[in-house]
PDB file of all heavy atoms in Angstrom:
ATOM      1  N   MET E   9       7.345   9.415  -1.763  1.00  0.00           N
ATOM      2  CA  MET E   9       8.678   9.938  -1.985  1.00  0.00           C
ATOM      3  C   MET E   9       8.856  11.285  -1.316  1.00  0.00           C
ATOM      4  O   MET E   9       9.894  11.580  -0.740  1.00  0.00           O
ATOM      5  CB  MET E   9       8.952  10.058  -3.486  1.00  0.00           C
ATOM      6  CG  MET E   9       8.068  11.028  -4.209  1.00  0.00           C
ATOM      7  SD  MET E   9       8.275  10.915  -5.987  1.00  0.00           S
ATOM      8  CE  MET E   9       7.321   9.456  -6.336  1.00  0.00           C
ATOM      9  N   ARG E  15       6.380  16.404   6.011  1.00  0.00           N
ATOM     10  CA  ARG E  15       4.977  16.120   6.269  1.00  0.00           C
ATOM     11  C   ARG E  15       4.139  17.296   5.805  1.00  0.00           C
ATOM     12  O   ARG E  15       4.471  18.437   6.046  1.00  0.00           O
ATOM     13  CB  ARG E  15       4.726  15.884   7.760  1.00  0.00           C
ATOM     14  CG  ARG E  15       3.254  15.693   8.093  1.00  0.00           C
ATOM     15  CD  ARG E  15       3.038  15.494   9.575  1.00  0.00           C
ATOM     16  NE  ARG E  15       3.572  14.232  10.032  1.00  0.00           N
ATOM     17  CZ  ARG E  15       2.913  13.088   9.949  1.00  0.00           C
ATOM     18  NH1 ARG E  15       1.705  13.060   9.411  1.00  0.00           N
ATOM     19  NH2 ARG E  15       3.453  11.982  10.388  1.00  0.00           N
ATOM     20  N   PRO E  17      -0.293  18.408   5.144  1.00  0.00           N
ATOM     21  CA  PRO E  17      -1.653  17.950   5.393  1.00  0.00           C
ATOM     22  C   PRO E  17      -2.247  17.295   4.177  1.00  0.00           C
ATOM     23  O   PRO E  17      -1.853  17.548   3.046  1.00  0.00           O
ATOM     24  CB  PRO E  17      -2.396  19.259   5.726  1.00  0.00           C
ATOM     25  CG  PRO E  17      -1.587  20.325   5.080  1.00  0.00           C
ATOM     26  CD  PRO E  17      -0.171  19.872   5.168  1.00  0.00           C
ATOM     27  N   ALA E  19      -5.204  16.277   1.385  1.00  0.00           N
ATOM     28  CA  ALA E  19      -6.149  17.056   0.592  1.00  0.00           C
ATOM     29  C   ALA E  19      -7.287  16.164   0.154  1.00  0.00           C
ATOM     30  O   ALA E  19      -7.100  14.991  -0.136  1.00  0.00           O
ATOM     31  CB  ALA E  19      -5.459  17.643  -0.653  1.00  0.00           C
ATOM     32  N   ALA E  29      -8.296  -3.628   5.184  1.00  0.00           N
ATOM     33  CA  ALA E  29      -7.157  -2.907   4.609  1.00  0.00           C
ATOM     34  C   ALA E  29      -6.279  -2.371   5.721  1.00  0.00           C
ATOM     35  O   ALA E  29      -6.756  -1.787   6.683  1.00  0.00           O
ATOM     36  CB  ALA E  29      -7.659  -1.772   3.731  1.00  0.00           C
ATOM     37  N   GLN E  30      -4.978  -2.545   5.602  1.00  0.00           N
ATOM     38  CA  GLN E  30      -4.034  -2.065   6.589  1.00  0.00           C
ATOM     39  C   GLN E  30      -2.882  -1.387   5.896  1.00  0.00           C
ATOM     40  O   GLN E  30      -2.488  -1.747   4.807  1.00  0.00           O
ATOM     41  CB  GLN E  30      -3.484  -3.232   7.434  1.00  0.00           C
ATOM     42  CG  GLN E  30      -4.566  -3.920   8.266  1.00  0.00           C
ATOM     43  CD  GLN E  30      -3.973  -5.045   9.091  1.00  0.00           C
ATOM     44  OE1 GLN E  30      -2.810  -5.397   8.930  1.00  0.00           O
ATOM     45  NE2 GLN E  30      -4.771  -5.587   9.980  1.00  0.00           N
ATOM     46  N   MET E 108     -13.244  16.033 -10.326  1.00  0.00           N
ATOM     47  CA  MET E 108     -12.380  14.962 -10.791  1.00  0.00           C
ATOM     48  C   MET E 108     -12.926  13.599 -10.392  1.00  0.00           C
ATOM     49  O   MET E 108     -12.943  12.653 -11.194  1.00  0.00           O
ATOM     50  CB  MET E 108     -10.963  15.160 -10.235  1.00  0.00           C
ATOM     51  CG  MET E 108      -9.991  14.051 -10.607  1.00  0.00           C
ATOM     52  SD  MET E 108      -9.820  13.789 -12.395  1.00  0.00           S
ATOM     53  CE  MET E 108      -8.935  15.292 -12.869  1.00  0.00           C
ATOM     54  N   ASP E 117     -18.284   3.927 -14.712  1.00  0.00           N
ATOM     55  CA  ASP E 117     -19.620   3.496 -15.113  1.00  0.00           C
ATOM     56  C   ASP E 117     -19.621   3.033 -16.572  1.00  0.00           C
ATOM     57  O   ASP E 117     -20.300   2.063 -16.934  1.00  0.00           O
ATOM     58  CB  ASP E 117     -20.621   4.632 -14.928  1.00  0.00           C
ATOM     59  CG  ASP E 117     -20.928   4.910 -13.462  1.00  0.00           C
ATOM     60  OD1 ASP E 117     -20.666   4.015 -12.624  1.00  0.00           O
ATOM     61  OD2 ASP E 117     -21.416   6.009 -13.153  1.00  0.00           O
ATOM     62  N   VAL E 167      12.630  22.699 -18.085  1.00  0.00           N
ATOM     63  CA  VAL E 167      11.367  22.002 -18.275  1.00  0.00           C
ATOM     64  C   VAL E 167      10.691  21.858 -16.926  1.00  0.00           C
ATOM     65  O   VAL E 167      11.294  22.064 -15.876  1.00  0.00           O
ATOM     66  CB  VAL E 167      11.585  20.614 -18.906  1.00  0.00           C
ATOM     67  CG1 VAL E 167      12.187  20.747 -20.284  1.00  0.00           C
ATOM     68  CG2 VAL E 167      12.461  19.745 -18.015  1.00  0.00           C
ATOM     69  N   ASN E 179       8.673  -8.665 -12.359  1.00  0.00           N
ATOM     70  CA  ASN E 179       9.691  -8.594 -11.312  1.00  0.00           C
ATOM     71  C   ASN E 179       9.141  -8.109  -9.976  1.00  0.00           C
ATOM     72  O   ASN E 179       9.887  -8.006  -8.993  1.00  0.00           O
ATOM     73  CB  ASN E 179      10.845  -7.686 -11.748  1.00  0.00           C
ATOM     74  CG  ASN E 179      11.659  -8.290 -12.870  1.00  0.00           C
ATOM     75  OD1 ASN E 179      11.957  -9.482 -12.852  1.00  0.00           O
ATOM     76  ND2 ASN E 179      12.007  -7.485 -13.858  1.00  0.00           N
ATOM     77  N   ASN E 210     -10.290 -10.681  -6.938  1.00  0.00           N
ATOM     78  CA  ASN E 210      -9.909  -9.270  -6.920  1.00  0.00           C
ATOM     79  C   ASN E 210      -8.789  -9.047  -7.920  1.00  0.00           C
ATOM     80  O   ASN E 210      -7.646  -9.429  -7.682  1.00  0.00           O
ATOM     81  CB  ASN E 210      -9.468  -8.842  -5.519  1.00  0.00           C
ATOM     82  CG  ASN E 210      -9.291  -7.335  -5.398  1.00  0.00           C
ATOM     83  OD1 ASN E 210      -8.879  -6.678  -6.339  1.00  0.00           O
ATOM     84  ND2 ASN E 210      -9.601  -6.798  -4.236  1.00  0.00           N
ATOM     85  N   THR E 219      11.243  -0.354  -0.229  1.00  0.00           N
ATOM     86  CA  THR E 219      12.492  -1.086  -0.044  1.00  0.00           C
ATOM     87  C   THR E 219      13.722  -0.184  -0.085  1.00  0.00           C
ATOM     88  O   THR E 219      14.764  -0.532   0.479  1.00  0.00           O
ATOM     89  CB  THR E 219      12.662  -2.166  -1.120  1.00  0.00           C
ATOM     90  OG1 THR E 219      12.627  -1.541  -2.432  1.00  0.00           O
ATOM     91  CG2 THR E 219      11.543  -3.204  -1.030  1.00  0.00           C
ATOM     92  N   ALA E 221      15.006   4.257  -0.778  1.00  0.00           N
ATOM     93  CA  ALA E 221      14.739   5.634  -1.190  1.00  0.00           C
ATOM     94  C   ALA E 221      16.069   6.353  -1.341  1.00  0.00           C
ATOM     95  O   ALA E 221      17.010   6.096  -0.575  1.00  0.00           O
ATOM     96  CB  ALA E 221      13.862   6.353  -0.166  1.00  0.00           C
ATOM     97  N   GLY E 239       7.225   2.144   5.186  1.00  0.00           N
ATOM     98  CA  GLY E 239       5.840   2.329   4.795  1.00  0.00           C
ATOM     99  C   GLY E 239       5.342   1.221   3.896  1.00  0.00           C
ATOM    100  O   GLY E 239       6.114   0.544   3.214  1.00  0.00           O
ATOM    101  N   TYR E 251      -3.477   3.624 -22.828  1.00  0.00           N
ATOM    102  CA  TYR E 251      -3.021   5.015 -22.714  1.00  0.00           C
ATOM    103  C   TYR E 251      -3.071   5.530 -21.278  1.00  0.00           C
ATOM    104  O   TYR E 251      -2.154   6.190 -20.809  1.00  0.00           O
ATOM    105  CB  TYR E 251      -3.870   5.911 -23.607  1.00  0.00           C
ATOM    106  CG  TYR E 251      -3.667   7.400 -23.383  1.00  0.00           C
ATOM    107  CD1 TYR E 251      -2.541   8.048 -23.887  1.00  0.00           C
ATOM    108  CD2 TYR E 251      -4.586   8.148 -22.656  1.00  0.00           C
ATOM    109  CE1 TYR E 251      -2.341   9.404 -23.675  1.00  0.00           C
ATOM    110  CE2 TYR E 251      -4.395   9.505 -22.439  1.00  0.00           C
ATOM    111  CZ  TYR E 251      -3.270  10.126 -22.955  1.00  0.00           C
ATOM    112  OH  TYR E 251      -3.085  11.459 -22.731  1.00  0.00           O
ATOM    113  N   ARG E 253      -4.229   5.287 -16.953  1.00  0.00           N
ATOM    114  CA  ARG E 253      -4.472   4.474 -15.753  1.00  0.00           C
ATOM    115  C   ARG E 253      -4.973   5.368 -14.635  1.00  0.00           C
ATOM    116  O   ARG E 253      -4.465   6.479 -14.445  1.00  0.00           O
ATOM    117  CB  ARG E 253      -3.193   3.743 -15.308  1.00  0.00           C
ATOM    118  CG  ARG E 253      -3.386   2.875 -14.069  1.00  0.00           C
ATOM    119  CD  ARG E 253      -2.204   1.940 -13.875  1.00  0.00           C
ATOM    120  NE  ARG E 253      -0.978   2.665 -13.583  1.00  0.00           N
ATOM    121  CZ  ARG E 253      -0.578   2.993 -12.348  1.00  0.00           C
ATOM    122  NH1 ARG E 253      -1.321   2.696 -11.301  1.00  0.00           N
ATOM    123  NH2 ARG E 253       0.559   3.633 -12.174  1.00  0.00           N
ATOM    124  N   VAL E 254      -5.957   4.881 -13.899  1.00  0.00           N
ATOM    125  CA  VAL E 254      -6.523   5.600 -12.762  1.00  0.00           C
ATOM    126  C   VAL E 254      -6.465   4.677 -11.550  1.00  0.00           C
ATOM    127  O   VAL E 254      -6.839   3.503 -11.633  1.00  0.00           O
ATOM    128  CB  VAL E 254      -7.981   6.024 -13.015  1.00  0.00           C
ATOM    129  CG1 VAL E 254      -8.529   6.799 -11.818  1.00  0.00           C
ATOM    130  CG2 VAL E 254      -8.082   6.865 -14.292  1.00  0.00           C
ATOM    131  N   THR E 262      -6.560   9.818  -5.125  1.00  0.00           N
ATOM    132  CA  THR E 262      -6.769   9.400  -6.512  1.00  0.00           C
ATOM    133  C   THR E 262      -5.568   9.818  -7.359  1.00  0.00           C
ATOM    134  O   THR E 262      -5.010  10.898  -7.161  1.00  0.00           O
ATOM    135  CB  THR E 262      -8.056  10.031  -7.080  1.00  0.00           C
ATOM    136  OG1 THR E 262      -9.174   9.541  -6.338  1.00  0.00           O
ATOM    137  CG2 THR E 262      -8.251   9.690  -8.557  1.00  0.00           C
ATOM    138  N   ARG E 267       0.545   6.532 -20.027  1.00  0.00           N
ATOM    139  CA  ARG E 267       1.620   5.612 -20.389  1.00  0.00           C
ATOM    140  C   ARG E 267       2.607   6.313 -21.322  1.00  0.00           C
ATOM    141  O   ARG E 267       2.233   6.821 -22.386  1.00  0.00           O
ATOM    142  CB  ARG E 267       1.022   4.391 -21.078  1.00  0.00           C
ATOM    143  CG  ARG E 267       1.997   3.263 -21.364  1.00  0.00           C
ATOM    144  CD  ARG E 267       1.351   2.196 -22.233  1.00  0.00           C
ATOM    145  NE  ARG E 267       0.130   1.674 -21.647  1.00  0.00           N
ATOM    146  CZ  ARG E 267       0.079   0.590 -20.886  1.00  0.00           C
ATOM    147  NH1 ARG E 267       1.167  -0.090 -20.619  1.00  0.00           N
ATOM    148  NH2 ARG E 267      -1.089   0.173 -20.403  1.00  0.00           N
TER     149      ARG E 267
END
Side-chain angles (χ1 to χ4, degrees):
M9 64 189 78
R15 175 181 292 276
Q30 296 181 352
M108 177 57 70
D117 288 341
V167 297
N179 291 318
N210 190 325
T219 58
Y251 169 77
R253 180 167 65 89
V254 181
T262 297
R267 187 189 304 266

